[in-house]
């Protein structure tokens, strides 16, 4: 129907939508590693915090609180930088989406107005063209919002695959011989 109403305007719209699709693919390809890194940072922070809180008496006894605070602070800063990168990337994809849809609207107004002026289209044809173009482009604009969530979900699945591929303690110690008995003395030196 769009080609029937105005094939030139439809070609321009299709070209802009192709640019939009390429921009989305590129943006989400760049966002996925950022999301994967964020998952890894969160897991490291959570694990370290759990270990520290579980062994709080040991940390206090050896006066390692400052070092643990610094380590946690560094992890939080890395996490904050990563979240900032992810939000900036998602915002850039959303802004790009807005620019492309705005470009399509401007092209429709200019080229459609010229077609009406030259009596190649009627006002009713133009209104129908705008309505049908909205039906085509509206789902694509929602891809910008849903796509970042999809990229984050795929990055989470990648992280799950990485964690599942790690060797377990049983697998690491499978080839080692068992110790039958131990005998030894404990000596404290400069404690």
């Amino acid at each position: 129907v769009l080609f029937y109403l105005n094939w030139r305007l439809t070609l321009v719209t299709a070209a802009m939508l192709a640019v939009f699709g390429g921009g989305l693919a590129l943006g989400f390809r760049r966002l996925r590693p950022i999301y994967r890194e964020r998952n890894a940072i969160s897991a490291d922070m959570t694990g370290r915090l759990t270990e520290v809180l579980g062994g709080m008496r040991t940390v206090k006894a050896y006066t390692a609180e400052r070092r643990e605070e610094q380590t946690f602070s560094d992890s939080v800063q890395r996490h904050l930088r990563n979240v900032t990168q992810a939000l900036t990337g998602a915002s850039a994809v959303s802004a790009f989406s807005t620019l492309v849809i705005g470009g399509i609207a401007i092209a429709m107004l200019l080229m459609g107005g010229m077609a009406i002026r030259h009596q190649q289209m009627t006002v009713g044809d133009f209104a129908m063209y705008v309505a049908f173009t909205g039906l085509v482009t509206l789902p694509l604009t929602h891809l910008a919002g849903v796509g970042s969530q999809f990229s984050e979900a795929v990055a989470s699945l990648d992280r799950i695959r990485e964690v599942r591929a790690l060797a377990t303690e049983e697998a690491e110690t499978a080839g080692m011989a068992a110790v039958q008995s131990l005998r030894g003395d404990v000596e404290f030196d400069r404690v």
Side-chain angles (χ1 to χ4, degrees), residues 118-156:
H118 294 314
Q119 297 178 348
Q120 296 169 344
M121 287 179 83
T122 65
V123 175
D125 289 341
F126 181 68
M128 186 169 43
Y129 189 90
V130 169
F132 285 146
T133 303
L135 290 174
V136 170
T137 59
L138 189 62
L140 296 176
T141 60
H142 289 295
L143 281 178
V146 173
S148 63
Q149 293 173 347
F150 182 74
S151 290
E152 190 170 358
V154 170
S156 296

Side-chain angles (χ1 to χ4, degrees), residues 4-176:
Y4 172 75
L5 291 173
N6 191 331
W7 65 271
R8 288 182 186 99
L9 183 55
T10 303
L11 286 178
V12 170
T13 302
M16 287 185 175
L17 288 177
V19 168
F20 175 67
L24 282 182
L26 178 66
F28 294 142
R29 191 176 310 126
R30 291 190 178 175
L31 281 175
R32 189 170 163 195
I34 294 171
Y35 289 136
R36 188 180 309 132
E37 182 185 1
R38 184 172 70 187
N39 290 338
I41 292 169
S42 293
D44 290 343
M45 274 181 18
T46 304
R48 180 129 184 140
L49 190 58
T50 302
E51 288 173 0
V52 167
L53 292 177
M56 188 52 72
R57 288 193 179 122
T58 306
V59 170
K60 285 184 177 180
Y62 290 108
T63 63
E65 286 178 273
R66 281 208 170 109
R67 184 184 49 174
E68 290 300 325
E69 285 176 6
Q70 184 61 42
T71 302
F72 185 71
S73 176
D74 292 345
S75 295
V76 168
Q77 289 299 322
R78 278 183 45 224
H79 192 263
L80 179 64
R81 281 192 302 273
N82 183 278
V83 168
T84 303
Q85 280 182 328
L87 288 176
T88 302
S91 297
V93 167
S94 179
F96 179 69
S97 167
T98 303
L99 284 175
V100 169
I101 299 305
I104 290 172
I106 290 171
M108 283 192 328
L109 289 173
L110 292 176
M111 293 179 74
M114 293 295 285
I116 291 171
R117 192 168 128 210
H118 294 314
Q119 297 178 348
Q120 296 169 344
M121 287 179 83
T122 65
V123 175
D125 289 341
F126 181 68
M128 186 169 43
Y129 189 90
V130 169
F132 285 146
T133 303
L135 290 174
V136 170
T137 59
L138 189 62
L140 296 176
T141 60
H142 289 295
L143 281 178
V146 173
S148 63
Q149 293 173 347
F150 182 74
S151 290
E152 190 170 358
V154 170
S156 296
L157 290 173
D158 286 345
R159 178 69 181 151
I160 289 171
R161 186 181 320 118
E162 288 174 11
V163 170
R164 289 183 56 98
L166 293 174
T168 61
E169 289 181 19
E170 291 86 19
E172 288 179 351
T173 60
M176 296 182 180

